[in-house]
Amino acid sequence: MKLAISISGKTLDSPFDARFGRATAFCIVDSVSGEWQAFDNPAISASGGAGVQAAQFVASQGVQAVISGAFGPNAYDTLAAADIEMYIAPRDQTQSAAEILKLLKDGKLTQVEAATNKGHHGENR
Amino acid sequence: MRIVVASGKGGTGKTTIATSLALIASEQESVRLMDCDVEAPNARLFLDPSLDSHKVVGILIPQVDESLCNYCGKCAQVCQFHAIAVIGKKILVFPELCHGCGSCTLVCPERAITEHLNVLGVLERGQAVHDIEFAQGTMKIGEPMAVPIIRELKKWAPVVLPTIEIRDAPPGASCPVVETIRGADFALLVTEPTPFGLHDLKQVVAIARELGIPAGVVINRDGIGDNAVELYCSENNLPILMRIPMERRIAVAIASGELLVEAAPEFRQAFQDMYESITTEVKI
């Protein structure tokens, strides 16, 4: 399965980034072959709609699942429309993308069926 | 002539100043007061307008006819706010992200997009005390975007245009404040002599300067805090046009909905002088 993990650097050892829309980068990894590639998140400095833009980006990479720390309503709707599964990893621990991948394989991550937060649009305006 | 009353920091006395300035100006000229603080308009509490005219306002958002759409994705690419997304053979519209620019409708090669009104708020107007023409905008609860409402409010001109327009701005220094200040002839900035007041004053001064609009300062709650606002004003050629001391009786009168110049008539002269200074400055 091809999946995307939100990370704060460009390697498999980079710490997990618990934000989805504003994640620094996405590590896109094939869970079977272990092949991976890191991409800058094109939505990191979006003036708005970062969740939608990030979701469109990972969908365009053909992933079947995404692991992040939270999914807002717009990101959730967009990923769900693309039939991408969403998993939540604990946001309070500094873990690498590789460790997060292991947690998924061990069945220790929670799949979400709804947005996990209310979204940030309109904040600080 | 258009005068904007802004502050940066909230609760410095914008509405207190705007409403009393409107009253003083109305003794010489026809006056319109626009409450542009659409998230929490409250100038009506002081001016008791009739509000007998209403207008629903919003932005035009896209509606996609999926029988015509070929999912080319041009609409999603052109949208700067990611308010429309094309995922495979699905198209999603996010109304709360849309700024109503119409680009998606323009670029759609299949003409699959039509626009419909997404209501953001309501405008109201009517006659207030002292023959002041009053207008306000009120944002719908849960909507995040104030700018389109303020823009429509500014355009919603009465039948007879008044000589003086006073705009009561929202607090802060973000897009709604910029939209309120845009097109004005003078920015009257109400602050308090505290570090917080000064911090936000600087931001609004920067907006006025960027827009090329002359500005003056009112120091409210004079006597508290420090003299940093005064120093900043003298260093930056900002005239201090009025000072209102920190007094309990003023706070009590404002809290019960009285106009400052009616509750404390000794400020009438200061308001008249300030009004003269502004009209002189703008005419030069």
Side-chain angles (χ1 to χ4, degrees):
Chain A
M1 179 163 71
K2 200 171 174 187
L3 55 96
I5 304 169
S6 55
I7 51 170
S8 55
K10 297 285 288 286
T11 69
L12 209 54
D13 297 329
S14 301
F16 176 57
D17 191 334
R19 300 165 301 175
F20 175 68
R22 303 284 179 186
T24 305
F26 290 107
C27 172
I28 296 187
V29 56
D30 187 313
S31 62
V32 180
S33 69
E35 276 179 51
W36 64 273
Q37 197 176 353
F39 296 87
D40 285 321
N41 176 11
I44 191 155
S45 56
S47 57
V52 178
Q53 192 184 5
Q56 286 185 105
F57 173 72
V58 295
S60 73
Q61 295 298 317
V63 304
Q64 286 108 52
V66 178
I67 306 169
S68 190
F71 298 95
N74 296 337
Y76 181 87
D77 287 350
T78 309
L79 291 168
D83 294 321
I84 294 172
E85 292 174 3
M86 285 160 262
Y87 292 89
I88 297 266
R91 47 166 60 222
D92 54 340
Q93 293 158 32
T94 312
Q95 289 170 307
S96 68
E99 286 164 332
I100 295 279
L101 185 60
K102 189 171 182 309
L103 287 177
L104 180 75
K105 284 179 174 167
D106 295 346
K108 287 183 177 157
L109 297 183
T110 320
Q111 189 173 354
V112 296
E113 304 291 344
T116 58
N117 61 286
K118 282 166 61 187
H120 309 292
H121 183 69
E123 282 180 4
N124 305 318
R125 289 189 186 203
Chain B
M1 184 174 65
R2 303 180 181 98
I3 303 168
V4 168
V5 183
S7 70
K9 184 187 174 295
T12 58
K14 286 179 295 297
T15 304
T16 300
I17 299 299
T19 51
S20 276
L21 182 63
L23 191 153
I24 293 297
S26 76
E27 291 169 358
Q28 298 175 38
E29 304 282 356
S30 58
V31 172
R32 181 185 197 211
L33 188 130
M34 290 195 312
D35 194 340
C36 296
D37 185 5
V38 301
E39 289 178 56
N42 64 350
R44 72 189 150 79
L45 299 175
F46 298 90
L47 296 173
D48 197 25
S50 57
L51 300 184
D52 42 20
S53 185
H54 302 251
K55 185 184 180 188
V56 167
V57 292
I59 53 170
L60 292 172
I61 65 166
Q63 192 163 30
V64 183
D65 181 344
E66 294 217 31
S67 69
L68 296 174
C69 178
N70 65 2
Y71 309 101
C72 69
K74 290 201 169 97
C75 53
Q77 284 159 20
V78 78
C79 183
Q80 297 301 296
F81 302 98
H82 311 104
I84 188 162
V86 179
I87 299 282
K89 297 254 182 258
K90 284 175 194 154
I91 187 151
L92 302 173
V93 175
F94 299 95
E96 77 284 6
L97 296 179
C98 179
H99 284 54
C101 72
S103 298
C104 54
T105 312
L106 280 174
V107 301
C108 179
E110 304 301 317
R111 296 183 174 272
I113 302 178
T114 51
E115 295 177 331
H116 70 274
L117 185 73
N118 183 36
V119 174
L120 299 178
V122 64
L123 307 183
E124 292 164 296
R125 72 180 178 208
Q127 205 69 31
V129 294
H130 302 280
D131 283 335
I132 294 167
E133 168 83 29
F134 181 88
Q136 69 174 16
T138 307
M139 189 157 72
K140 210 171 94 182
I141 289 171
E143 288 295 338
M145 236 182 294
V147 170
I149 305 169
I150 298 168
R151 200 180 288 142
E152 292 294 323
L153 179 63
K154 285 162 68 180
K155 282 197 290 195
W156 200 36
V159 184
V160 183
L161 273 178
T163 314
I164 306 291
E165 179 180 290
I166 296 171
R167 298 178 192 161
D168 192 6
S174 60
C175 300
V177 176
V178 176
E179 182 58 39
T180 305
I181 297 178
R182 198 190 299 277
D185 301 299
F186 192 86
L188 185 59
L189 309 177
V190 186
T191 191
E192 58 178 36
T194 62
F196 190 175
L198 176 61
H199 175 273
D200 283 18
L201 173 68
K202 286 178 182 172
Q203 295 186 324
V204 183
V205 167
I207 295 172
R209 298 239 152 118
E210 177 84 26
L211 296 172
I213 294 165
V217 171
V218 173
I219 298 181
N220 193 9
R221 302 198 192 99
D222 193 25
I224 65 165
D226 53 34
N227 65 352
V229 167
E230 264 174 80
L231 281 173
Y232 169 76
C233 288
S234 70
E235 282 164 8
N236 290 278
N237 292 321
L238 281 165
I240 296 172
L241 299 174
M242 189 163 59
R243 293 165 193 271
I244 299 168
M246 176 72 165
E247 278 180 32
R248 184 182 170 84
R249 69 184 174 104
I250 295 173
V252 168
I254 300 301
S256 58
E258 284 183 72
L259 286 159
L260 176 61
V261 288
E262 288 185 340
E266 67 272 26
F267 286 104
R268 286 183 53 89
Q269 190 60 49
F271 270 92
Q272 279 160 355
D273 294 346
M274 179 166 74
Y275 178 64
E276 295 299 325
S277 305
I278 295 170
T279 44
T280 309
E281 163 85 28
V282 171
K283 274 174 190 148
I284 290 166

